[in-house]
Amino acid sequence: MTEEMATREAYGKALVELGRKNPSIVVLDADLSKSTKTVLFADEFPLRFFNMGVAEADMIGTAAGLAASGFIPFVSTFGVFATGRVYDQIRNSVAYTKMNVKIAATHTGITVGEDGASHQSFEDIALMRVLPNMTVVVPADARQTCQAVEAAAKHEGPLYLRLGRPKVPPVISPEVPFELGKAQLLREGDDLVFIATGITVGIALEAASLMERHNISAAVVNVHTIKPLDEVLLLQLAQKTGAIVTIEEHSIIGGLGGAIAELVSENCPVPVIRVGINDSFGESGSPKELLQKYGLTVNKLISAGKAAVEKKVRAY
Amino acid sequence: MPAISAAALEELRIKARKLRKDVVTMIYEAGSGHPGGSLSVLDILIVLYYKVMNIDSQNYKHPHRDRLVLSKGHACPALYAVLADKGFFPSAYLSSLRKINSPLQGHPDMRKTPGIEMSTGSLGQGLSVANGMALAARLNQSKYHTYVILGDGEIQEGQVWEAAMTSAHYRLDNLTAFLDYNGLQIDGWIRDVKLPQPLAGKWRAFGWHVMEVDGHDYAALLEAIGRARANKGAPTMIIAHTVKGKGISFMENQLDWHGRAPNKEEYEKALAELSQ
């Protein structure tokens, strides 16, 4: 996995591997299997694949019933349909019941691109994070997606896996261990920490390296598990650096930035600047253009980093 | 299902009077709850739990047990009364209904109450879950049967019809649904709130094997379940014509008794009727 690959592609392949090892894995999709890549599983395991048609609420409920009977269902559709559209089904039939259902949503965030605002979910992390019993995982690249799929199957209980549409470069080196709930410190730094998740990890690494020119030593941490948060490591970094910038392909309300702000304000109050979608819907465009327009760029992160360090100075 | 003897029928009737008392007592002691729908669905539960379902209260997680999903979760006092009587949990639990720290929640919680197969309460979700259980039986080559009980107001939820298409598409003949057709919902007569007719026709059009029975007639319910179990290639819907508040004269067909508890005087009157 040294080449660019979409996390949804990696998901589809990982599911097939998982299916070969574990006969309890079943997969449900809502008429988007070619896009979510669950078609790969469907081709190899037709009896363990259920196409529910364009009926997401029914899909979640059916998965709950399969889980209640000992299977491990992975359900897939686009992020908007996998979360907000079926929020009550997930709340009552999956989270409240602690069902062993894995909700793997592809096509999340602004990089959905040309389909526009109706298909771009900026609130899915927030919606899933607020649910008791739910684990929320956002892999940064293809390799991490495979690790996350493996871990999701081993984890007992509901889990939301947030995946993306476009190809992304590998950003996490193979020797970095992956464990649910354990954030990955990818770069040490003393003055500032960039806290990133998903495709923004690469942006954060690049920004941190450029910060050196401004004499700012920036750490980078990949929070692939947004719930439960790795509170120990994140608070250590907050303490050590005294300034935080979060970046996510999601609303700045309620997602990674919201989670970090909640954590540090109670335990280690340091300036937090949240970079993400600023309380708006998206629009059509290429993923690259949209990342630019909505401020998910290296330059935006560098400015935010400088501003966070400046706030820290003023605060002390 | 074998034909039921007169003596066995009489036993069920005696059981029903006892369980109706339990239901009314629970709701009276809780000070809130849903007596109307609990009393309309009770006879269906009695037939299932005492004459049909393969379950063992001492081994209630057995993988090959029959399943029941009470999709109209607000009728749970009826199910709790049956489960307690069958020994799934101590009868002493019944007086804790809806109270703090109770294993008997206002709507069913599978993680708190032995014998509850699915947490319900948010209407419209149970048929999908039952489909999942029926699909699991097929994958596991298990012979268990899944039963699900829907409310007649509940089928106004769109998810029910998504699920109805799924049951038919997968030809789930190991699933039997009941519609507790008591004709009333919170805001009034169902036909005034949102016309359900053609009711049987809708389910038939969705590919279901449909029967209509008197939901308080044990022999008729047993016969219908027998025919449902024998039917192959399609799921069965048994439309059970019921009476909301059944068994207590002043509650029968009265909208007011959807979701309120009796006061002391009403409670005593109800018990007196059930003791006759």
Side-chain angles (χ1 to χ4, degrees):
Chain A
M1 290 191 180
T2 52
E3 289 179 6
E4 290 206 334
M5 186 193 284
T7 51
R8 61 177 164 137
E9 186 83 39
Y11 165 64
K13 292 180 174 168
L15 267 187
V16 174
E17 289 297 317
L18 196 59
R20 288 177 188 153
K21 285 186 285 190
N22 188 341
S24 296
I25 303 292
V26 293
V27 176
L28 297 87
D29 205 302
D31 196 36
L32 286 170
S33 64
K34 293 189 185 76
S35 299
T36 64
K37 303 299 174 191
T38 61
V39 67
L40 301 173
F41 186 94
D43 286 346
E44 186 158 335
F45 306 104
L47 295 178
R48 286 195 270 151
F49 175 80
F50 302 97
N51 198 329
M52 304 306 293
V54 192
E56 294 82 6
D58 183 43
M59 174 166 73
I60 296 292
T62 307
L66 282 156
S69 317
F71 286 93
I72 306 173
F74 279 72
V75 307
S76 285
T77 179
F78 292 0
V80 275
F81 313 130
T83 58
R85 187 183 184 99
V86 292
Y87 185 72
D88 188 61
Q89 284 75 20
I90 296 175
R91 180 187 188 276
N92 283 299
S93 288
V94 175
Y96 179 42
T97 53
K98 299 182 196 159
M99 289 298 187
N100 201 15
V101 172
K102 318 303 169 186
I103 299 157
T106 64
H107 297 67
T108 58
I110 195 79
T111 53
V112 164
E114 293 79 356
D115 276 351
S118 64
H119 283 53
Q120 294 162 344
S121 61
F122 303 160
E123 59 285 326
D124 53 309
I125 295 175
L127 286 171
M128 294 299 102
R129 189 169 80 82
V130 77
L131 288 171
N133 303 327
M134 184 65 77
T135 294
V136 178
V137 181
V138 189
D141 61 14
R143 183 194 327 275
Q144 188 150 83
T145 301
C146 297
Q147 293 168 327
V149 169
E150 282 277 329
K154 287 195 184 111
H155 171 80
E156 177 74 33
L159 184 144
Y160 178 63
L161 185 63
R162 187 184 209 238
L163 306 166
R165 173 178 174 246
K167 287 186 175 177
V168 288
V171 290
I172 314 290
S173 64
E175 54 271 20
V176 180
F178 178 88
E179 189 185 337
L180 283 184
K182 294 275 180 246
Q184 297 172 321
L185 183 59
L186 301 177
R187 182 190 163 104
E188 298 275 0
D190 298 324
D191 305 324
L192 166 73
V193 57
F194 286 127
I195 303 181
T197 194
I199 64 157
T200 62
V201 172
I203 300 173
L205 284 167
E206 200 178 332
S209 143
L210 292 170
M211 293 299 279
E212 286 173 8
R213 291 186 200 165
H214 304 281
N215 285 325
I216 293 173
S217 157
V220 175
V221 61
N222 170 27
V223 178
H224 53 70
T225 307
I226 294 182
K227 187 184 181 185
L229 265 185
D230 187 349
E231 299 190 356
V232 172
L233 177 64
L234 291 167
L235 286 173
Q236 272 172 11
L237 291 166
Q239 185 87 43
K240 180 183 173 191
T241 63
I244 294 173
V245 174
T246 62
I247 179 163
E248 63 200 299
E249 199 195 354
H250 183 274
S251 172
I252 58 169
I253 302 170
L256 173 68
I260 297 297
E262 288 161 17
L263 176 70
V264 300
S265 64
E266 282 188 342
N267 300 285
C268 178
V270 298
V272 177
I273 294 183
R274 295 163 300 150
V275 175
I277 309 294
N278 196 2
D279 196 20
S280 76
F281 288 104
E283 65 186 82
S284 292
S286 74
K288 203 174 163 188
E289 291 165 330
L290 290 165
L291 286 169
Q292 190 72 37
K293 178 164 179 178
Y294 286 80
L296 290 161
T297 62
V298 171
N299 284 341
K300 176 78 184 285
L301 205 52
I302 290 172
S303 327
K306 285 196 231 165
V309 169
E310 202 175 310
K311 274 182 196 252
K312 165 170 70 164
V313 172
R314 272 198 237 127
Y316 285 101
Chain B
M1 299 290 148
I4 186 164
S5 70
L9 275 176
E10 186 52 26
E11 256 178 54
L12 288 184
R13 288 190 196 107
I14 292 165
K15 183 66 78 184
R17 277 198 290 279
K18 185 248 180 207
L19 294 173
R20 283 198 155 78
K21 282 185 198 172
D22 288 347
V23 167
V24 176
T25 303
M26 287 163 79
I27 296 174
Y28 169 66
E29 288 180 345
S32 69
H34 299 85
S38 300
L39 293 167
S40 69
V41 81
L42 182 64
D43 291 318
I44 299 168
L45 291 172
I46 288 173
V47 168
L48 285 173
Y49 277 85
Y50 294 88
K51 290 292 166 200
V52 176
M53 285 171 63
N54 174 27
I55 41 155
D56 174 2
S57 62
Q58 301 314 301
N59 190 7
Y60 62 84
K61 300 231 177 211
H62 193 287
H64 301 301
R65 70 191 183 278
D66 288 339
R67 269 79 164 166
L68 174 101
V69 176
L70 184 65
S71 193
K72 48 170 291 182
H74 56 280
C76 58
L79 184 52
Y80 294 157
V82 168
L83 292 174
D85 187 67
K86 294 285 288 184
F88 283 81
F89 50 79
S91 293
Y93 283 13
L94 295 181
S95 57
S96 72
L97 172 70
R98 287 179 166 250
K99 292 178 182 157
I100 192 78
N101 300 326
S102 171
L104 304 187
Q105 294 292 294
H107 292 84
D109 182 341
M110 62 186 286
R111 300 295 177 196
K112 287 201 166 86
T113 313
I116 296 291
E117 294 286 356
M118 181 63 194
S119 306
T120 51
S122 181
L123 292 174
Q125 302 188 23
L127 182 54
S128 298
V129 175
N131 283 339
M133 292 172 174
L135 287 168
R138 184 176 288 172
L139 283 172
N140 281 332
Q141 295 176 318
S142 175
K143 297 254 183 277
Y144 71 76
H145 201 83
T146 302
Y147 299 90
V148 54
I149 303 180
L150 306 173
D152 49 3
E154 179 180 17
I155 64 168
Q156 291 159 357
E157 290 280 5
Q159 186 185 346
V160 170
W161 301 99
E162 294 181 9
M165 290 171 78
T166 297
S167 327
H169 177 80
Y170 287 101
R171 302 176 182 277
L172 295 178
D173 50 21
N174 58 353
L175 176 138
T176 298
F178 294 84
L179 189 73
D180 180 12
Y181 188 25
N182 60 38
L184 280 161
Q185 62 188 111
I186 298 179
D187 272 355
W189 289 98
I190 291 196
R191 59 174 182 265
D192 297 329
V193 175
K194 193 175 264 191
L195 189 70
Q197 270 71 30
L199 192 49
K202 275 196 186 72
W203 290 94
R204 282 198 186 98
F206 273 71
W208 285 60
H209 170 227
V210 181
M211 286 178 276
E212 297 200 56
V213 300
D214 176 345
H216 302 297
D217 180 335
Y218 300 128
L221 281 166
L222 269 174
E223 201 221 326
I225 295 165
R227 281 165 56 196
R229 297 294 302 260
N231 183 64
K232 295 297 164 205
T236 295
M237 165 55 79
I238 298 175
I239 297 175
H241 292 257
T242 58
V243 174
K244 200 151 184 165
K246 173 74 178 179
I248 297 167
S249 62
F250 59 91
M251 291 189 184
E252 289 192 358
N253 290 318
Q254 295 301 309
L255 181 63
D256 185 40
W257 290 100
H258 173 88
R260 83 163 176 94
N263 61 29
K264 188 158 189 295
E265 190 186 332
E266 291 161 338
Y267 171 59
E268 282 166 359
K269 199 174 158 203
L271 277 199
E273 279 193 21
L274 291 169
S275 301
Q276 278 166 14

